[in-house]
Coordinates of all heavy atoms in Angstrom, one line a residue:
Y74 N 154.3 66.8 34.4 CA 153.5 65.9 33.7 C 152.2 66.5 33.1 O 151.8 66.1 32.0 CB 153.0 64.7 34.6 CG 154.2 63.8 35.0 CD1 154.5 63.5 36.3 CD2 154.9 63.2 34.0 CE1 155.5 62.6 36.7 CE2 156.0 62.3 34.4 CZ 156.2 62.0 35.7 OH 157.3 61.2 36.0
F75 N 151.7 67.5 33.8 CA 150.5 68.2 33.3 C 150.9 69.2 32.1 O 150.0 69.5 31.3 CB 149.9 69.0 34.4 CG 149.3 68.2 35.5 CD1 150.0 67.8 36.6 CD2 148.0 67.7 35.4 CE1 149.5 67.0 37.6 CE2 147.4 66.9 36.4 CZ 148.2 66.6 37.5
E76 N 152.1 69.6 32.0 CA 152.6 70.5 31.0 C 153.2 69.8 29.8 O 153.4 70.4 28.7 CB 153.6 71.5 31.6 CG 153.1 72.2 32.7 CD 154.2 73.1 33.4 OE1 155.4 72.8 33.1 OE2 153.9 73.9 34.3
S77 N 153.4 68.5 29.9 CA 154.1 67.7 28.8 C 153.0 67.2 27.8 O 151.9 66.7 28.2 CB 154.9 66.6 29.3 OG 155.5 65.8 28.3
D78 N 153.3 67.1 26.6 CA 152.5 66.6 25.5 C 152.6 65.1 25.5 O 151.8 64.4 24.8 CB 152.8 67.2 24.2 CG 152.5 68.7 24.1 OD1 151.6 69.1 24.9 OD2 153.2 69.4 23.3
E79 N 153.6 64.5 26.2 CA 153.8 63.0 26.1 C 152.8 62.3 27.0 O 152.6 61.1 26.8 CB 155.2 62.7 26.5 CG 156.3 63.3 25.7 CD 157.7 63.0 26.1 OE1 157.8 62.1 27.0 OE2 158.6 63.6 25.6
Y80 N 152.2 63.0 27.9 CA 151.3 62.3 28.9 C 149.9 63.0 28.8 O 149.8 64.2 28.8 CB 151.8 62.4 30.3 CG 153.3 61.9 30.4 CD1 154.3 62.8 30.4 CD2 153.5 60.5 30.5 CE1 155.6 62.3 30.5 CE2 154.8 60.1 30.5 CZ 155.9 61.0 30.6 OH 157.2 60.5 30.6
D81 N 148.8 62.2 28.9 CA 147.5 62.7 28.9 C 147.1 63.0 30.4 O 147.9 62.8 31.3 CB 146.5 61.7 28.3 CG 146.5 60.4 28.9 OD1 146.8 60.3 30.2 OD2 146.2 59.4 28.3
L82 N 145.9 63.5 30.5 CA 145.5 64.0 31.9 C 145.4 62.8 32.9 O 145.8 63.0 34.0 CB 144.1 64.7 31.7 CG 143.5 65.3 33.0 CD1 144.5 66.3 33.6 CD2 142.2 65.8 32.8
S83 N 145.0 61.7 32.4 CA 144.8 60.5 33.4 C 146.2 60.1 33.8 O 146.4 59.8 35.0 CB 144.1 59.4 32.7 OG 144.9 58.9 31.5
Q84 N 147.2 60.1 33.0 CA 148.6 59.7 33.4 C 149.2 60.7 34.3 O 149.8 60.4 35.3 CB 149.4 59.5 32.1 CG 149.0 58.4 31.2 CD 149.8 58.4 29.9 OE1 150.2 59.4 29.4 NE2 149.8 57.2 29.2
A85 N 148.9 62.0 34.0 CA 149.5 63.1 34.9 C 148.8 63.0 36.3 O 149.5 63.1 37.3 CB 149.2 64.4 34.2
L86 N 147.5 62.8 36.3 CA 146.8 62.8 37.6 C 147.3 61.6 38.4 O 147.5 61.6 39.6 CB 145.3 62.8 37.4 CG 144.7 64.1 37.0 CD1 143.2 63.9 36.7 CD2 144.8 65.1 38.2
F87 N 147.4 60.4 37.7 CA 147.8 59.2 38.4 C 149.2 59.3 38.9 O 149.6 58.8 40.0 CB 147.6 58.0 37.5 CG 147.8 56.7 38.2 CD1 146.8 56.3 39.2 CD2 148.9 55.9 38.0 CE1 147.0 55.1 39.9 CE2 149.0 54.7 38.7 CZ 148.1 54.3 39.6
S88 N 150.1 59.9 38.2 CA 151.5 60.2 38.6 C 151.5 61.0 39.8 O 152.3 60.8 40.8 CB 152.3 60.8 37.5 OG 152.4 59.9 36.3
L89 N 150.7 62.1 39.8 CA 150.6 62.9 41.0 C 150.1 62.2 42.2 O 150.7 62.3 43.3 CB 149.7 64.1 40.7 CG 149.4 65.1 41.9 CD1 150.7 65.8 42.3 CD2 148.4 66.2 41.5
L90 N 149.1 61.3 42.1 CA 148.6 60.5 43.2 C 149.7 59.6 43.7 O 149.8 59.3 44.9 CB 147.3 59.8 42.7 CG 146.1 60.6 42.5 CD1 144.9 59.8 42.0 CD2 145.7 61.4 43.7
L91 N 150.4 59.0 42.8 CA 151.5 58.0 43.2 C 152.5 58.8 44.0 O 153.0 58.2 45.1 CB 152.1 57.4 42.0 CG 151.4 56.3 41.3 CD1 152.2 55.7 40.1 CD2 151.1 55.1 42.2
G92 N 152.9 59.9 43.6 CA 153.9 60.7 44.4 C 153.4 61.1 45.7 O 154.1 60.9 46.7
L93 N 152.1 61.5 45.8 CA 151.6 61.9 47.1 C 151.4 60.7 48.0 O 151.5 60.8 49.2 CB 150.3 62.7 46.9 CG 150.4 64.0 46.2 CD1 149.0 64.6 46.0 CD2 151.3 65.0 46.9
L94 N 151.0 59.5 47.4 CA 150.8 58.3 48.2 C 152.2 57.9 48.8 O 152.2 57.5 50.0 CB 150.3 57.2 47.2 CG 150.2 55.8 47.9 CD1 149.2 55.8 49.0 CD2 149.9 54.8 46.8
T95 N 153.2 57.9 48.0 CA 154.5 57.6 48.6 C 154.9 58.5 49.7 O 155.5 58.1 50.7 CB 155.6 57.6 47.5 OG1 155.2 56.8 46.4 CG2 156.9 57.1 48.0
L96 N 154.7 59.8 49.5 CA 155.0 60.8 50.5 C 154.3 60.5 51.8 O 154.9 60.5 52.9 CB 154.8 62.2 50.0 CG 154.8 63.3 51.0 CD1 156.2 63.5 51.6 CD2 154.3 64.6 50.4
Q97 N 153.0 60.3 51.7 CA 152.1 60.2 52.9 C 152.4 58.9 53.6 O 152.5 58.9 54.9 CB 150.6 60.3 52.5 CG 149.7 60.4 53.7 CD 150.0 61.6 54.5 OE1 149.9 62.8 54.0 NE2 150.3 61.4 55.8
L98 N 152.6 57.8 52.9 CA 153.0 56.6 53.6 C 154.3 56.7 54.3 O 154.4 56.1 55.4 CB 153.0 55.4 52.5 CG 151.7 55.0 51.9 CD1 151.9 53.9 50.9 CD2 150.7 54.5 53.0
G99 N 155.3 57.3 53.7 CA 156.5 57.5 54.4 C 156.4 58.3 55.6 O 157.0 58.0 56.7
L100 N 155.6 59.4 55.6 CA 155.4 60.2 56.8 C 154.7 59.5 57.9 O 155.0 59.6 59.1 CB 154.7 61.5 56.4 CG 155.4 62.5 55.5 CD1 154.5 63.7 55.1 CD2 156.7 63.0 56.1
W101 N 153.6 58.7 57.5 CA 152.9 57.9 58.5 C 153.8 56.9 59.2 O 153.8 56.7 60.4 CB 151.7 57.2 57.8 CG 150.6 58.1 57.6 CD1 150.3 59.3 58.2 CD2 149.5 57.9 56.7 NE1 149.1 59.8 57.8 CE2 148.6 59.0 56.8 CE3 149.1 56.8 55.8 CZ2 147.4 59.1 56.1 CZ3 147.9 56.9 55.1 CH2 147.1 58.0 55.3
A102 N 154.7 56.2 58.4 CA 155.6 55.3 58.9 C 156.5 55.9 59.9 O 156.9 55.3 60.9 CB 156.3 54.5 57.8
L103 N 157.0 57.1 59.6 CA 157.9 57.8 60.5 C 157.3 58.2 61.8 O 157.9 58.2 62.9 CB 158.4 59.1 59.8 CG 159.6 59.8 60.4 CD1 160.8 58.9 60.5 CD2 159.9 61.1 59.7
Q104 N 156.0 58.5 61.8 CA 155.2 58.9 63.0 C 155.0 57.7 63.9 O 154.7 57.9 65.1 CB 153.9 59.6 62.6 CG 154.1 60.9 61.9 CD 152.8 61.5 61.4 OE1 151.8 60.9 61.5 NE2 152.9 62.7 60.8
V105 N 155.0 56.5 63.3 CA 154.7 55.3 64.2 C 155.8 55.2 65.3 O 155.5 54.7 66.3 CB 154.7 54.1 63.3 CG1 154.6 52.8 64.1 CG2 153.5 54.1 62.3
R106 N 157.0 55.7 65.0 CA 158.1 55.5 66.0 C 157.7 56.1 67.3 O 158.1 55.5 68.4 CB 159.4 56.1 65.5 CG 160.6 55.8 66.3 CD 161.8 56.7 65.9 NE 162.1 56.5 64.5 CZ 162.9 55.5 64.0 NH1 163.5 54.7 64.9 NH2 163.2 55.5 62.7
T107 N 157.0 57.2 67.4 CA 156.7 57.8 68.7 C 155.2 57.7 69.0 O 154.7 58.4 69.8 CB 157.1 59.3 68.6 OG1 156.5 59.9 67.5 CG2 158.6 59.5 68.5
S108 N 154.5 56.8 68.3 CA 153.1 56.6 68.6 C 152.9 55.5 69.6 O 153.8 54.7 69.9 CB 152.4 56.2 67.3 OG 152.7 54.9 66.9
P109 N 151.7 55.4 70.2 CA 151.4 54.4 71.3 C 151.0 53.1 70.6 O 150.7 52.1 71.4 CB 150.3 55.0 72.1 CG 149.6 55.9 71.1 CD 150.6 56.4 70.2
F110 N 150.9 53.0 69.3 CA 150.4 51.8 68.7 C 151.5 50.8 68.5 O 152.7 51.1 68.3 CB 149.8 52.1 67.3 CG 148.6 53.1 67.5 CD1 148.8 54.4 67.1 CD2 147.4 52.7 68.0 CE1 147.8 55.3 67.2 CE2 146.3 53.6 68.1 CZ 146.5 54.9 67.7
L111 N 151.1 49.5 68.4 CA 152.0 48.4 68.1 C 153.0 48.2 69.3 O 153.1 49.0 70.2 CB 152.8 48.6 66.8 CG 151.9 48.8 65.5 CD1 152.8 49.0 64.3 CD2 151.0 47.7 65.3
F112 N 153.9 47.1 69.1 CA 154.9 46.9 70.1 C 156.1 47.7 69.8 O 156.3 48.1 68.6 CB 155.2 45.4 70.2 CG 154.0 44.5 70.7 CD1 153.3 43.8 69.8 CD2 153.7 44.5 72.0 CE1 152.2 43.0 70.2 CE2 152.6 43.8 72.5 CZ 151.9 43.0 71.6
P113 N 157.0 47.9 70.7 CA 158.2 48.7 70.4 C 159.0 48.2 69.2 O 159.5 49.0 68.4 CB 159.0 48.6 71.7 CG 158.0 48.4 72.8 CD 157.0 47.5 72.2
T114 N 159.3 46.9 69.1 CA 160.0 46.4 68.0 C 159.3 46.6 66.7 O 160.0 47.0 65.7 CB 160.3 44.9 68.2 OG1 161.0 44.7 69.4 CG2 161.1 44.3 67.0
M115 N 158.0 46.5 66.7 CA 157.3 46.7 65.4 C 157.2 48.2 65.0 O 157.3 48.5 63.9 CB 155.8 46.2 65.6 CG 155.7 44.7 65.9 SD 154.0 44.1 66.1 CE 153.3 44.5 64.5
R116 N 157.2 49.0 66.1 CA 157.3 50.5 65.8 C 158.6 50.8 65.1 O 158.6 51.6 64.2 CB 157.0 51.3 67.0 CG 155.6 51.2 67.6 CD 155.4 52.4 68.5 NE 156.3 52.3 69.7 CZ 155.9 51.8 70.9 NH1 154.8 51.2 71.0 NH2 156.8 51.8 71.9
E117 N 159.7 50.3 65.7 CA 161.0 50.6 65.1 C 161.1 50.1 63.7 O 161.7 50.7 62.8 CB 162.1 50.0 66.0 CG 162.2 50.6 67.3 CD 162.7 52.1 67.3 OE1 163.5 52.4 66.3 OE2 162.4 52.9 68.1
L118 N 160.7 48.8 63.4 CA 160.8 48.3 62.1 C 159.9 49.0 61.1 O 160.3 49.3 60.0 CB 160.3 46.8 62.1 CG 161.3 45.8 62.8 CD1 160.7 44.4 62.9 CD2 162.6 45.8 62.1
T119 N 158.7 49.5 61.5 CA 157.9 50.2 60.6 C 158.5 51.6 60.3 O 158.5 52.0 59.1 CB 156.5 50.5 61.3 OG1 155.9 49.2 61.6 CG2 155.6 51.2 60.4
A120 N 159.1 52.2 61.3 CA 159.7 53.5 61.0 C 161.0 53.4 60.1 O 161.2 54.2 59.2 CB 160.0 54.2 62.3
D121 N 161.8 52.3 60.4 CA 163.0 52.2 59.7 C 162.8 51.7 58.2 O 163.5 52.2 57.3 CB 163.9 51.1 60.4 CG 164.4 51.6 61.7 OD1 164.4 52.9 61.9 OD2 164.8 50.8 62.6
F122 N 161.8 50.9 58.0 CA 161.6 50.4 56.6 C 160.3 50.9 56.0 O 159.8 50.4 55.0 CB 161.6 48.8 56.7 CG 162.8 48.2 57.2 CD1 163.0 47.8 58.5 CD2 163.9 48.0 56.3 CE1 164.2 47.3 58.9 CE2 165.1 47.5 56.7 CZ 165.2 47.1 58.1
G123 N 159.8 52.0 56.6 CA 158.6 52.5 56.0 C 158.7 53.1 54.7 O 157.8 53.0 53.8
V124 N 159.9 53.7 54.4 CA 160.1 54.3 53.1 C 160.2 53.3 52.0 O 159.6 53.4 50.9 CB 161.4 55.2 53.1 CG1 161.7 55.8 51.7 CG2 161.3 56.3 54.1
A125 N 160.9 52.2 52.3 CA 161.0 51.1 51.3 C 159.6 50.5 51.1 O 159.3 50.2 49.9 CB 162.0 50.0 51.8
A126 N 158.8 50.3 52.2 CA 157.5 49.8 52.0 C 156.6 50.8 51.2 O 155.8 50.3 50.4 CB 156.9 49.6 53.4
A127 N 156.8 52.1 51.4 CA 156.0 53.1 50.6 C 156.3 53.0 49.1 O 155.4 53.1 48.3 CB 156.3 54.5 51.1
I128 N 157.6 52.8 48.8 CA 158.0 52.7 47.4 C 157.4 51.4 46.8 O 156.9 51.4 45.7 CB 159.5 52.7 47.3 CG1 160.1 54.0 47.7 CG2 160.0 52.3 45.8 CD1 161.6 54.1 47.7
A129 N 157.4 50.3 47.6 CA 156.9 49.0 47.1 C 155.4 49.2 46.9 O 154.8 48.7 45.9 CB 157.2 47.9 48.1
V130 N 154.7 49.8 47.8 CA 153.2 50.0 47.7 C 152.9 50.8 46.5 O 152.0 50.6 45.7 CB 152.6 50.6 49.0 CG1 151.2 51.0 48.8 CG2 152.7 49.6 50.1
G131 N 153.6 51.9 46.3 CA 153.4 52.8 45.1 C 153.6 52.1 43.8 O 152.9 52.2 42.9
T132 N 154.7 51.3 43.8 CA 155.0 50.5 42.5 C 153.9 49.5 42.3 O 153.5 49.3 41.1 CB 156.4 49.8 42.7 OG1 157.4 50.8 42.9 CG2 156.7 49.1 41.4
L133 N 153.5 48.7 43.3 CA 152.4 47.7 43.1 C 151.1 48.4 42.7 O 150.3 47.8 41.9 CB 152.2 46.9 44.4 CG 153.4 46.0 44.8 CD1 153.2 45.4 46.2 CD2 153.6 45.0 43.7
T134 N 150.8 49.6 43.3 CA 149.6 50.3 42.9 C 149.7 50.7 41.4 O 148.7 50.6 40.7 CB 149.5 51.6 43.7 OG1 149.4 51.2 45.1 CG2 148.2 52.3 43.4
A135 N 150.8 51.1 40.9 CA 151.0 51.4 39.5 C 150.8 50.2 38.6 O 150.2 50.2 37.6 CB 152.3 52.0 39.3
W136 N 151.4 49.0 39.1 CA 151.2 47.8 38.3 C 149.8 47.4 38.2 O 149.3 46.9 37.1 CB 152.0 46.7 38.9 CG 153.5 46.8 38.7 CD1 154.1 47.7 38.0 CD2 154.5 46.0 39.3 NE1 155.5 47.6 38.0 CE2 155.8 46.5 38.8 CE3 154.5 44.9 40.2 CZ2 157.0 45.9 39.2 CZ3 155.7 44.4 40.5 CH2 156.9 44.9 40.1
G137 N 149.0 47.5 39.3 CA 147.6 47.0 39.3 C 146.6 48.0 38.8 O 145.4 47.7 38.7
S138 N 147.0 49.2 38.5 CA 146.1 50.3 38.1 C 145.6 50.1 36.6 O 144.5 50.6 36.3 CB 146.7 51.6 38.3 OG 147.8 51.8 37.4
G139 N 146.4 49.5 35.8 CA 146.1 49.5 34.4 C 146.4 50.7 33.6 O 146.2 50.7 32.4
V140 N 147.0 51.7 34.3 CA 147.4 52.9 33.6 C 148.7 52.7 32.9 O 149.7 52.3 33.6 CB 147.5 54.1 34.5 CG1 147.9 55.4 33.8 CG2 146.1 54.4 35.2
R141 N 148.8 52.9 31.6 CA 150.0 52.6 30.9 C 150.6 53.9 30.4 O 150.0 54.9 30.3 CB 149.7 51.7 29.7 CG 149.2 50.3 30.1 CD 150.3 49.5 30.9 NE 149.8 48.2 31.3 CZ 149.4 47.9 32.5 NH1 149.4 48.9 33.5 NH2 149.0 46.7 32.9
G142 N 151.9 53.8 30.0 CA 152.6 55.0 29.4 C 153.2 55.9 30.4 O 153.6 57.0 30.0
M143 N 153.3 55.5 31.7 CA 153.9 56.4 32.7 C 155.4 56.4 32.5 O 156.0 55.4 32.0 CB 153.5 56.0 34.1 CG 152.0 56.3 34.3 SD 151.6 56.0 36.1 CE 152.1 54.3 36.2
E144 N 156.1 57.4 33.0 CA 157.5 57.4 33.0 C 158.1 56.5 34.1 O 157.7 56.5 35.2 CB 158.0 58.8 33.3 CG 159.6 59.0 33.3 CD 160.0 60.4 33.7 OE1 159.2 61.1 34.2 OE2 161.2 60.6 33.5
M145 N 159.0 55.6 33.6 CA 159.6 54.6 34.5 C 161.1 55.0 34.7 O 161.7 55.8 34.0 CB 159.5 53.2 33.9 CG 158.1 52.7 33.7 SD 157.3 52.5 35.3 CE 155.7 52.0 34.8
L146 N 161.7 54.3 35.7 CA 163.1 54.6 36.0 C 163.9 54.1 34.9 O 163.8 52.9 34.4 CB 163.5 53.8 37.3 CG 164.9 53.9 37.8 CD1 165.3 55.4 38.1 CD2 165.2 53.1 39.0
N147 N 164.8 54.9 34.4 CA 165.7 54.6 33.3 C 167.0 54.2 33.8 O 167.8 54.9 34.4 CB 165.8 55.8 32.3 CG 166.6 55.5 31.1 OD1 166.7 54.3 30.7 ND2 167.1 56.5 30.4
M148 N 167.4 52.9 33.5 CA 168.7 52.3 33.9 C 169.3 51.7 32.7 O 168.6 51.1 31.8 CB 168.5 51.3 35.0 CG 168.0 51.9 36.3 SD 168.0 50.7 37.6 CE 169.8 50.3 37.8

Side-chain angles (χ1 to χ4, degrees):
Y74 289 126
F75 294 90
E76 302 172 350
S77 176
D78 297 332
E79 300 180 11
Y80 308 99
D81 56 29
L82 182 59
S83 62
Q84 294 170 337
L86 284 174
F87 190 69
S88 297
L89 177 62
L90 291 177
L91 284 179
L93 296 179
L94 174 65
T95 306
L96 168 64
Q97 191 59 60
L98 289 178
L100 294 177
W101 279 343
L103 190 63
Q104 294 173 358
V105 170
R106 190 190 300 274
T107 55
S108 71
F110 302 103
L111 305 179
F112 295 105
T114 303
M115 297 179 64
R116 289 199 299 265
E117 291 294 330
L118 290 175
T119 302
D121 292 340
F122 298 97
V124 176
I128 295 175
V130 170
T132 303
L133 293 175
T134 302
W136 285 354
S138 65
V140 179
R141 299 293 179 262
M143 293 187 301
E144 182 185 11
M145 297 294 180
L146 178 62
N147 184 19
M148 294 185 65

